[in-house]
Structure formats: structure tokens, C-alpha cells
Amino acid sequence: MQTPTSCPTPDKGRCATKEAAQAVAQRMRLRIGRLLEPYPCPCGWWHLATTPSPALPVNAVADPADVARLQTLQDAEFRALVSADARGQAPSSDRLALRHPGTLARWQRMLTELHEDIKDQLAHRSEESTPGIGDWRRRARRYGQALTERSHECRTLLAQAPPAQPQPTQKDLRRLAGEKAIDRLIAAHGPEFAGYLAQECAQLGAALPRHVAKYLPAEAA
């Protein structure tokens, strides 16, 4: 195996195989009371996910209605959904819609905001010694790690997504409208239009387009 490079979570434990990661997960289950989920990392190693989610169906496609709904959510609602996904609590329909090319950029921005927020909370409460603060810090770090994992997944999907097609400008749309209007004019008044165009072409010494010449009498063409 090559030396791991560019690991998105270099502070996590690593295993060479899925089987080894599963064995570690079983040992950790006895200590923390929950079974973590192995996943392959682009760095070449296997890590354990802190917030496992049920695997999405193979080749599952997001419902366009769900994608449209997520695109119209207010920021607070979208933030709550992204947080629920990171905690493994979002429904499959919303998870699929989050991973659609049309929502990836917003998902990535919200993941970054949530990660910065949890980092600020940890820093703000770093000196706190109230009862239960240790448990809160553990949960906050697990949540932050889950956000990191989701962010890496999102970046991978963004890299695989087809490039967005540029939106036509008003100038482009007007030109297209003009071309279509000319086509309709030729279809409705072919001989008349062809006669005018033939005269103008003759004066300029230009050849008459073949798709217009068909409207002229044979002797005129």
C-alpha cells in the first residue's frame, strides 16, 4: 500500500483493510456502547465513521420534487436539514436531494458554516468546568467530525458533477427569438420573403440561401 496522502481526517485512526476496521469497531463498541461504521478514505486507508447513516440504495436518484423543495428552503430550515444529515437522522429522500448536483454548492457552504460554529463553541467553552461539560465536548467533537466527513463527501460529489451550463443572457435570448421569428415569417410568407431577399442579394452580388431559393419560381432561382 502506498503511503497515505491528502487525508481529509488525518487525526482519525486508520486501518489497512475493511476487516481490520470492523474488528476495531467491535472493540470500540464495548468501550463506547455503539457500533461505528468503517468507510474507505481517498487517502488509501479505512476509517470509522462517528455518525454512521444507513446506506442509500444503489443507483438511487433524487426525486426532482424533493430537490426543488430543498432549493426553496429558508437558510434556517436548510441548516437544520444539513445538521440532521450529519447526525444520521435525515430521511433518505432528503439525503438523496442533498447529494443532487443542484444542491451540492449550498450543502457545502452550510457544512462549512456549521463546522465553524461548532469550533467556535468548543473554543468558547474550552475553560468551562461545569457538570456535564466533558460529555458535551465529546458529543461536540463527534458532531464536528461528522461534519468533516460530510464535507469531504460533498467535495467528492462536486468534483464528479458535470459542469454547470451557463445561463443564456438577454442578448442571447433576443437573438434566438429573432431567428425563430424569421423562420416563422419564411414559413408563412415564403415566396414574398424570398422575392425581397433575392432582390437584395442580387444588388449586393450575394448568393441566395438554398433554403430560401426553394420558394422562388424555377426561372427566378
Side-chain angles (χ1 to χ4, degrees):
M1 176 177 290
Q2 297 179 346
T3 302
T5 57
S6 303
C7 181
T9 54
D11 57 330
K12 297 189 70 171
R14 58 193 188 189
C15 299
T17 65
K18 181 178 181 179
E19 291 72 21
Q22 289 173 331
V24 172
Q26 289 292 346
R27 292 197 297 272
M28 291 185 65
R29 183 179 191 176
L30 298 176
R31 179 163 56 89
I32 65 176
R34 57 189 302 219
L35 183 63
L36 303 185
E37 179 179 312
Y39 69 94
C41 181
C43 71
W45 296 92
W46 284 78
H47 297 313
L48 294 176
T50 54
T51 308
S53 297
L56 292 170
V58 178
N59 298 324
V61 178
D63 188 325
D66 290 325
V67 176
R69 176 171 52 80
L70 262 62
Q71 290 173 333
T72 59
L73 287 179
Q74 298 295 320
D75 281 349
E77 297 172 305
F78 193 81
R79 180 188 180 99
L81 171 58
V82 172
S83 180
D85 175 78
R87 298 178 189 278
Q89 299 169 350
S92 295
S93 57
D94 286 350
R95 294 177 61 207
L96 284 170
L98 270 180
R99 288 152 178 82
H100 184 274
T103 54
L104 287 175
R106 189 182 185 191
W107 186 27
Q108 180 65 73
R109 289 195 299 272
M110 192 58 69
L111 284 167
T112 300
E113 290 182 17
L114 287 169
H115 198 266
E116 290 300 319
D117 180 61
I118 198 65
K119 283 172 57 180
D120 289 345
Q121 290 187 51
L122 283 165
H124 181 71
R125 303 184 69 178
S126 61
E127 303 298 327
E128 189 174 324
S129 58
T130 55
I133 188 64
D135 181 61
W136 178 86
R137 288 196 185 103
R138 284 190 293 273
R139 289 186 285 107
R141 292 191 183 101
R142 285 200 300 267
Y143 176 57
Q145 188 62 62
L147 291 171
T148 298
E149 293 163 5
R150 297 298 192 276
S151 184
H152 176 67
E153 178 188 2
C154 185
R155 287 195 299 271
T156 300
L157 292 172
L158 279 168
Q160 297 171 349
Q165 296 298 318
Q167 294 297 313
T169 64
Q170 285 297 309
K171 183 178 179 180
D172 294 330
L173 293 174
R174 285 193 295 269
R175 182 176 62 251
L176 179 60
E179 293 171 353
K180 289 183 175 296
I182 291 173
D183 290 340
R184 292 175 63 187
L185 177 62
I186 294 174
H189 305 282
E192 182 181 4
F193 178 83
Y196 289 138
L197 185 58
Q199 293 173 10
E200 298 299 330
C201 285
Q203 291 182 13
L204 296 173
L208 191 66
R210 297 180 63 181
H211 72 283
V212 176
K214 67 182 182 180
Y215 291 101
L216 293 174
E219 60 276 9

